[in-house]
Amino acid sequence: MTQAQTLRGALWSIQAYAAFYLLQGGLKLAGVIYDPAAHRAFFGGPPQGTQMRYYGDVLGASAAALAVFALSRFLPAKRPPDLWILTGTALALIAFDVTFFFSRVLAAP
Amino acid sequence: MSPGPIPPAGTLAFESASVGMLVVHAVLGFTSVGASTHHAVYSVLIARGQKRFAQLRRFSLIAPAAVITQVLLGMALYPTYRVRVRAADFDLHAPVLTQLFDLKEHLAALSVPLLLGAVLLGRTLTQDPPPPPATPKVLATLSVTAAAFIWTTALIGSYITARHPVGMP
């Protein structure tokens, strides 16, 4: 893996993780749900009662980040990536995530 | 939302060990804060032109190891928190704490890719040919953001634990 591919892959992975995490949690898309009372995991949603989707969201975002990092190995990098554009995009996506989850704290009764 | 039937005590995953795990979780939390802060400080020093590559390499191992172990331990504690603390207390009496805890969990989850990204960028610093000139500053940006998230996670976690720790009725 070349240096340019490593740099690009690292920042793409952060972008993919943040985007997938926001889409899964924010849009309440179907995902892996764990029911702690029944000791059972299943695909579906939204969670009911004490069921939780945190594991599924982290797993999904991690899988997206790993897939993008693997993809970056195979796509040629002819010139060094523009790191500030990639970093700005990654941090903007992270900021969307944080803003969304912080807004729920502010909206809580 | 109704929590549904609450299962009897001791029946959740890792519930019987939850108090001990919470203590380890707290100790690992301090370790994560310290290691990620060191990583961020050495990243900033490198971005300012100092040759602190050996220290950065050391904390590029320690910080992700501490943070990932901490996140995994938190995940193991989560079912007990979800049923015994959140459903039984926070959802009924303090919904803002439910959302505050969720924010902490999300910040912890988001700190991991930031830190791992910073570690990957750090590995390119001493390679030949040298990486693009922006690399040290981007590394510092990612590392400082990750450390800020980990600090916030630790502070919120300490507050939530002070309000209602797992293992307490």
Side-chain angles (χ1 to χ4, degrees), chain B residues 125-166:
Chain B
L125 286 181
T126 50
Q127 287 177 355
D128 191 31
T135 307
K137 286 183 179 160
V138 168
L139 161 68
T141 305
L142 295 180
S143 182
V144 168
T145 309
F149 281 13
I150 291 164
W151 267 94
T152 312
T153 300
L155 290 172
I156 295 175
S158 301
Y159 177 68
I160 296 286
T161 305
R163 292 292 297 261
H164 189 156
V166 294

Side-chain angles (χ1 to χ4, degrees), chain A residues 65-86:
Chain A
L66 285 173
V68 166
F69 190 75
L71 187 68
S72 73
R73 287 178 68 104
F74 299 107
L75 294 178
K78 289 180 182 145
R79 59 177 191 279
D82 188 327
L83 291 184
W84 282 120
I85 290 179
L86 292 176

Side-chain angles (χ1 to χ4, degrees), chain B residues 50-129:
Chain B
Q50 296 188 26
K51 309 278 184 205
R52 300 299 191 106
F53 299 115
Q55 291 91 338
L56 185 74
R57 255 196 313 277
R58 188 177 313 137
F59 284 100
S60 292
L61 294 174
I62 298 171
V67 172
I68 290 172
T69 311
Q70 168 76 339
V71 169
L72 291 176
L73 194 59
M75 285 180 160
L77 277 166
Y78 199 54
T80 308
Y81 160 80
R82 182 70 186 81
V83 175
R84 306 290 177 216
V85 178
R86 177 174 163 176
D89 182 6
F90 291 169
D91 281 350
L92 301 174
H93 307 115
V96 71
L97 293 183
T98 292
Q99 297 303 332
L100 198 59
F101 184 89
D102 280 4
L103 175 67
K104 165 191 114 70
E105 292 298 280
H106 297 312
L107 286 176
L110 292 168
S111 69
V112 173
L114 286 169
L115 188 59
L116 292 179
V119 166
L120 278 172
L121 261 68
R123 287 181 56 178
T124 68
L125 286 181
T126 50
Q127 287 177 355
D128 191 31

Side-chain angles (χ1 to χ4, degrees), chain A residues 7-8 18 20 24 42 44 46 48-49 51-52 54 65 67 81 83 87-90 95 99-103:
Chain A
L7 293 170
R8 188 184 62 181
F20 195 90
Q24 282 247 113
F42 58 95
Q48 305 292 324
Q51 294 172 354
M52 42 200 257
Y54 182 61
L83 291 184
T87 307
T89 310
T99 306
F100 172 72
F101 294 118
F102 186 62
S103 73

